[in-house]
């Protein structure tokens, strides 16, 4: 166990920034905290770094309580959102700063800094200043500066948000590569779900100061535990209903729409549930096919994306579905505005939520 | 061609923006400076203005009254002028130092306050400027007098047995100087401190920097422009200051400003007064220009050389 947060709560004045967050992070893991701005994710990062005190709770690093330890004394480095490179120092001075603060002589610290700059493919920038570097180079300098002290954990605060879209995708891969290369535990904070999905081994979703769900990206997307997580990650259609009948492996909701969903849980008949279906799991056709879940709809709106078409369809009772159709054969005539059709989906693909 | 037409308003606009302060500076700063320089090379006369024209075209054609006599006079009686010059520079130097010591933490505190408080605190810093500087000095005299507010309060509280002599001392002079010039030091310091990214301090702490180390390696170098600007803003007018030492100080401290005033208004010897002014200007600007020049060279020299091993 590398890092353990136990019942962390942080109150700023009257606002509850972090509410009873517990989290365990393995050695060498890449964990991302994802949530809308103001959800408390950056506060958690600052608490781990020691830049913020907790109102209550315990922070442990490798079994040692570090809750009230000075940031200077923690084996934790942080990479700031805008990198916070020292503008009056050259790149090599920036990178070697952590060693300088530890009283290591100039020759030795610049030797180590040069090695890190080489790892980051920045050797030729040694004597330049931060303002002379591109966004991507600055990020790598910030990484080198944070990693030179051999921290047990590297914290990354919105690591890619200061960059433009194209660079972001490239640096995402680079961050993953560096993480694999050095094997340090990375904890990253972001509001960009694509960034979180592609970077992290595990994602913790945060909402209003609470950690809602921590899971691998795939499980978060396919099996969210709450409607907040389902809605926050990607697009989804919700259907509210009441369990009308059930057998061992599935439930069926009644009312306007009869939808069958795979569900092993013990949900009694009459329980209120919320069903959720991802757009790419829904199929749209002109004719009936006899599937278990088949609902007649009218096309409300569509957006042609080239590789696929996004549809918004509506049932007679007013239930909306958002769905995405990949057009495998180019000459198929797709459904158009106002046309009638049928949506189908597998009971296995229906997510059953109870909130 | 089309490009020129499109850019024309922008270019004229930019030129206008530069031209306005340039005209202002040349009319109210450069021309008087040239005039003073001219006067310092002529001889005095009875009349208005009380000096001979430096040059002109009369009945016999071009004539000039050029003389270096005023400067020769200063050189001859240098010991009479050296004392006041030394007093002025000493006063200005220590006033600047004391202002810096007080202003630095104050500016830091204001810059680190939240935005609502920042405005209020800045207004409080500038508030004294809204009353006449002379009035403030008289108020200070009123408090520092042997029978003034501070002594009276001390006596009443039983802290002192007899009034302390605060007026006509270095203490009262520096009190006056700091009270007058402190805002000029706070404002440029505040300007650089408020732009200082708090993340830099967090980053330095995160990398293991102690408070003193962070101050020395991050805060001080990044606020240096403010320190220099504030010091110049205080030092330069402080050298010419003579009202404060005259009102608050003892009779033994003759200041350069007072000497200038005497030459201009008592002796009505404008050429000698101008010569003193020019000399004072030279004494003040040469070190500043030299410092700027050195600054530029240091920036080149500071580019680190990895081969140069030096434990720091």
């Amino acid at each position: 166990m590398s890092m353990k947060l136990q019942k962390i709560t942080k109150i700023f004045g009257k606002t509850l920034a972090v509410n009873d967050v517990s989290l365990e992070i393995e050695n060498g893991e890449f964990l991302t905290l994802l949530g809308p701005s103001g959800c408390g994710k950056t506060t958690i990062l600052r608490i781990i770094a020691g830049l913020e005190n907790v109102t209550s709770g315990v922070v442990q690093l490798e079994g040692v309580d570090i809750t009230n330890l000075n940031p200077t004394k923690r084996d934790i480095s942080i990479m700031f959102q805008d990198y916070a490179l020292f503008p009056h120092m050259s790149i090599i001075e920036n990178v070697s700063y952590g060693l300088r603060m530890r009283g290591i002589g100039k020759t030795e610290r610049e030797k180590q800094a040069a090695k890190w700059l080489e790892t980051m493919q920045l050797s030729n920038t040694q004597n330049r200043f931060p303002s002379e570097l591109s966004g991507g180079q600055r990020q790598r300098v910030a990484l080198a500066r944070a990693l030179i002290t051999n921290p047990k954990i590297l914290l990354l605060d919105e690591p890619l948000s200061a960059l433009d879209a194209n660079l972001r995708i490239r640096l995402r891969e680079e961050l993953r590569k560096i993480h694999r290369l050095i094997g340090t535990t990375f904890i990253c904070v972001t509001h960009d779900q694509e960034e979180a999905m592609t970077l992290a081994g595990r994602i913790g979703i945060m909402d209003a100061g609470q950690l809602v769900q921590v899971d691998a990206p795939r499980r978060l997307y396919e099996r969210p535990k709450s409607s907040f997580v389902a809605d926050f990650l990607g697009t989804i259609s919700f259907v509210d209903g009441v369990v009308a009948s059930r057998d061992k492996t599935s439930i069926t909701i009644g009312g306007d729409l009869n939808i069958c969903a795979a569900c092993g849980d013990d949900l009694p008949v009459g329980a209120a549930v919320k069903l959720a279906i991802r757009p790419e799991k829904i199929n749209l056709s002109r004719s009936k096919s006899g599937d278990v879940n088949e609902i007649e709809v009218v096309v409300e709106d569509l957006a042609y994306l080239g590789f696929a078409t996004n549809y918004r369809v509506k049932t007679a009772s007013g239930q909306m579905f958002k769905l995405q159709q990949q057009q495998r054969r180019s000459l198929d005539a797709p459904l158009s505005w106002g046309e009638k059709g049928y949506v189908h989906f597998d009971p296995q693909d229906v997510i059953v939520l109870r909130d | 061609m089309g490009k020129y037409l499109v850019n024309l308003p922008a270019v004229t606009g930019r030129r206008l923006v530069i031209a306005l302060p340039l005209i202002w500076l040349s009319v109210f700063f450069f021309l008087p400076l040239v005039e003073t320089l001219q006067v310092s090379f002529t001889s005095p006369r009875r009349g208005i203005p009380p000096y001979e024209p430096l040059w002109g075209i009369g009945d016999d054609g071009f004539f000039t009254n050029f003389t270096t006599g005023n400067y020769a006079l200063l050189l001859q009686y240098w010991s009479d002028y050296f004392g006041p010059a030394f007093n002025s520079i000493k006063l200005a130097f220590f006033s600047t130092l004391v202002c810096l010591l007080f202003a630095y933490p104050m500016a830091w505190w204001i810059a680190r306050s939240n935005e609502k408080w920042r405005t209020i605190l800045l207004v409080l810093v500038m508030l004294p400027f809204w009353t006449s500087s002379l009035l403030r000095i008289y108020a200070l005299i009123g408090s520092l007098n042997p029978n003034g507010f501070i002594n009276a309060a001390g006596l009443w509280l039983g802290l002192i047995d007899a009034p302390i002599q605060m007026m006509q001392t270095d203490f009262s002079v520096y009190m006056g100087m700091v009270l007058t010039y402190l805002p000029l030091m706070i404002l440029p310091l505040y300007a650089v401190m408020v732009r200082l990214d708090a993340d830099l301090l967090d980053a330095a702490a995160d990398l293991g920097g102690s408070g003193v180390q962070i101050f020395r390696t991050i805060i001080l170098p990044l606020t240096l422009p403010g320190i220099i600007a504030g010091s110049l803003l205080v030092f330069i007018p402080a050298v010419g200051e003579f009202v404060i030492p005259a009102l608050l100080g003892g009779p033994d401290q003759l200041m350069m400003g007072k000497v200038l005033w005497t030459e201009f208004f008592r002796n009505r010897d404008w050429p000698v007064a101008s010569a003193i002014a020019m000399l004072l200007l030279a004494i003040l600007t040469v070190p500043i220009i030299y410092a700027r020049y050195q600054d530029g060279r240091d920036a080149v020299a500071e580019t680190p050389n990895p081969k140069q091993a030096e434990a720091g």
Side-chain angles (χ1 to χ4, degrees):
Chain A
M1 185 75 51
S2 178
M3 171 122 242
K4 199 169 176 182
L5 303 180
Q6 285 171 315
K7 296 183 171 300
I8 300 287
T9 296
K10 174 73 188 179
I11 299 168
F12 287 114
K14 281 176 191 159
T15 45
L16 187 60
V18 177
N19 185 4
D20 195 27
V21 166
S22 296
L23 179 62
E24 290 180 5
I25 301 148
E26 299 292 332
N27 260 328
E29 195 179 356
F30 198 142
L31 180 112
T32 294
L33 293 174
L34 174 67
S37 55
C39 69
K41 55 194 194 300
T42 300
T43 309
I44 289 191
L45 206 70
R46 291 177 66 86
I47 286 171
I48 297 174
L51 297 170
E52 214 78 72
N53 298 321
V54 296
T55 306
S56 67
V58 176
V59 183
Q60 276 186 0
L61 180 61
E62 294 184 333
V64 182
D65 184 347
I66 58 161
T67 316
N68 296 312
L69 198 66
N70 198 294
T72 319
K73 307 234 167 67
R74 299 183 184 203
D75 272 346
I76 296 173
S77 282
I78 184 163
M79 192 179 97
F80 288 85
Q81 186 166 4
D82 299 315
Y83 310 135
L85 297 178
F86 306 129
H88 59 298
M89 292 185 196
S90 68
I91 298 309
I92 192 132
E93 285 175 311
N94 260 288
V95 173
S96 58
Y97 188 84
L99 300 178
R100 184 175 160 200
M101 292 301 105
R102 283 161 177 74
I104 291 163
K106 191 165 175 169
T107 327
E108 172 59 23
R109 64 176 193 248
E110 295 209 335
K111 204 176 89 192
Q112 288 194 36
K115 221 169 69 194
W116 271 103
L117 285 174
E118 205 185 307
T119 312
M120 300 289 168
Q121 296 170 351
L122 284 167
S123 296
N124 56 340
T125 64
Q126 281 198 10
N127 297 331
R128 283 196 238 160
F129 284 81
S131 58
E132 300 170 317
L133 263 53
S134 70
Q137 288 174 318
R138 267 182 240 173
Q139 191 205 30
R140 280 178 286 158
V141 172
L143 266 177
R145 187 180 70 176
L147 290 169
I148 199 166
T149 54
N150 279 321
K152 293 201 175 91
I153 293 176
L154 178 69
L155 306 171
L156 305 110
D157 186 6
E158 304 266 3
L160 302 172
S161 67
L163 307 166
D164 63 70
N166 286 329
L167 201 58
R168 227 179 272 180
I169 295 173
R170 228 187 61 215
L171 289 178
R172 234 188 255 156
E173 289 166 20
E174 210 153 311
L175 260 183
R176 263 198 324 223
K177 216 169 77 189
I178 290 165
H179 174 246
R180 272 203 305 271
L181 188 73
I182 58 171
T184 306
T185 310
F186 278 32
I187 304 175
C188 171
V189 148
T190 180
H191 66 274
D192 182 333
Q193 44 168 298
E194 199 179 309
E195 201 171 299
M197 300 279 263
T198 50
L199 278 176
R202 272 201 311 162
I203 298 175
I205 305 258
M206 290 203 61
D207 177 32
Q210 281 182 306
L211 195 58
V212 191
Q213 191 177 352
V214 188
D215 242 323
R218 178 184 294 275
R219 282 199 60 80
L220 277 177
Y221 185 80
E222 303 289 356
R223 285 288 170 257
K225 286 194 180 123
S226 63
S227 53
F228 174 81
V229 175
D231 200 27
F232 187 72
L233 279 183
T235 312
I236 205 154
S237 310
F238 289 112
V239 182
D240 289 311
V242 174
V243 178
S245 69
R246 66 157 301 127
D247 58 32
K248 261 203 169 103
T249 57
S250 68
I251 57 166
T252 304
I253 63 162
D256 293 331
L257 303 168
N258 282 306
I259 297 176
C260 176
C263 178
D265 291 356
D266 194 23
L267 274 177
V269 172
V273 290
K274 192 174 232 167
L275 303 183
I277 312 138
R278 294 286 179 196
E280 70 278 4
K281 306 283 179 351
I282 304 177
N283 216 340
L284 180 66
S285 70
R286 277 214 165 74
S287 49
K288 280 193 161 187
S289 63
D291 283 342
V292 184
N293 291 318
E294 184 165 62
I295 301 160
E296 192 182 304
V297 292
V298 173
V299 175
E300 277 266 303
D301 195 12
L302 63 88
Y304 179 62
L305 303 175
F307 67 96
T309 308
N310 284 344
Y311 282 95
R312 207 177 71 222
V313 298
K314 198 176 177 180
T315 66
S317 60
Q319 173 68 45
M320 290 282 190
F321 287 100
K322 284 173 252 170
L323 60 104
Q324 189 170 63
Q325 287 291 288
Q326 296 228 336
Q327 206 178 336
R328 297 248 157 65
R329 270 163 301 187
S330 55
L331 293 176
D332 277 358
L335 264 79
S336 192
W337 279 275
E339 274 194 82
K340 208 187 262 181
Y342 295 91
V343 290
H344 324 259
F345 41 85
D346 197 295
Q348 295 290 340
D349 291 331
V350 181
I351 302 157
V352 182
L353 301 163
R354 262 176 275 180
D355 63 330
Chain B
M1 281 293 264
K3 205 173 155 193
Y4 262 104
L5 284 173
V6 172
N7 281 342
L8 200 62
V11 170
T12 31
R14 211 177 308 155
R15 284 195 183 143
L16 198 70
V17 166
I18 299 168
L20 283 174
L22 208 64
I23 292 167
W24 175 272
L25 278 176
S26 44
V27 170
F28 293 105
F29 182 77
F30 187 68
L31 289 182
L33 187 69
V34 170
E35 180 65 13
T36 314
L37 188 68
Q38 285 194 21
V39 173
S40 76
F41 285 108
T42 65
S43 36
R45 70 167 188 200
R46 287 186 170 278
I48 295 170
Y51 55 87
E52 305 283 355
L54 183 62
W55 56 272
I57 295 163
D59 300 335
D60 311 324
F62 182 81
F63 70 90
T64 172
N65 290 314
F66 182 83
T67 171
T68 53
N70 303 314
Y71 291 95
L73 192 82
L74 292 186
L75 209 63
Q76 194 187 342
Y77 295 102
W78 70 274
S79 52
D80 290 348
Y81 296 105
F82 180 79
F86 178 78
N87 284 343
S88 287
I89 288 170
K90 192 182 83 176
L91 176 72
F93 177 80
F94 284 107
S95 301
T96 308
L97 202 68
V98 176
C99 277
L100 183 63
L101 288 179
F102 278 98
Y104 203 89
M106 281 170 82
W108 183 260
W109 177 58
I110 297 172
R112 297 290 128 187
S113 309
N114 68 39
E115 254 163 82
K116 195 183 82 193
W117 271 104
R118 244 187 261 160
T119 322
I120 296 170
L121 292 169
L122 276 179
V123 169
L124 285 178
V125 165
M126 289 184 281
L127 204 61
F129 273 132
W130 293 1
T131 58
S132 148
S133 136
L134 217 52
L135 216 61
R136 275 179 284 147
I137 290 165
Y138 277 114
L140 190 64
I141 293 173
S143 333
L144 295 182
N145 258 338
N147 52 2
F149 168 75
I150 294 174
N151 274 319
L155 284 171
W156 186 75
L157 288 169
L159 296 173
I160 48 174
D161 299 325
I164 303 168
Q165 178 63 37
M166 289 184 285
M167 277 302 297
Q168 275 101 38
T169 61
D170 279 353
F171 173 75
S172 58
V173 175
Y174 283 106
M175 275 293 278
M177 293 296 280
V178 170
L179 274 179
T180 308
Y181 289 106
L182 196 63
L184 295 178
M185 184 66 93
I186 291 180
L187 294 179
L189 281 174
Y190 166 81
V192 291
M193 285 170 177
V194 82
R195 273 182 289 140
L196 188 78
D197 187 358
D199 275 355
L200 294 181
L201 309 181
D202 281 346
D206 183 66
L207 290 165
S210 67
V212 177
Q213 280 175 319
I214 294 171
F215 178 76
R216 202 170 52 81
T217 57
I218 311 289
I219 299 174
L220 196 59
L222 287 176
T223 53
L224 198 61
I227 296 175
I228 293 171
S231 298
L232 289 179
L233 277 178
V234 173
F235 185 81
I236 292 169
V239 170
E241 181 66 57
F242 72 99
V243 175
I244 294 171
L247 290 176
L248 294 170
D252 52 326
Q253 297 261 316
L254 192 57
M255 297 292 157
M256 213 54 199
K258 177 74 180 166
V259 173
L260 262 177
W261 190 88
T262 312
E263 292 290 356
F264 263 115
F265 299 105
R266 191 79 56 74
N267 300 348
R268 278 189 79 77
D269 193 342
W270 286 27
V272 165
S274 300
I276 296 172
M278 292 315 294
L279 217 58
L280 203 60
L281 187 71
I283 290 169
L284 289 183
T285 47
V286 167
I288 292 165
I289 291 167
Y290 179 73
R292 295 285 308 169
Y293 170 73
Q294 275 293 322
D295 231 27
R297 282 194 7 176
D298 283 353
V300 178
E302 257 172 28
T303 343
N305 181 356
K307 282 178 193 142
Q308 208 173 21
E310 170 206 274

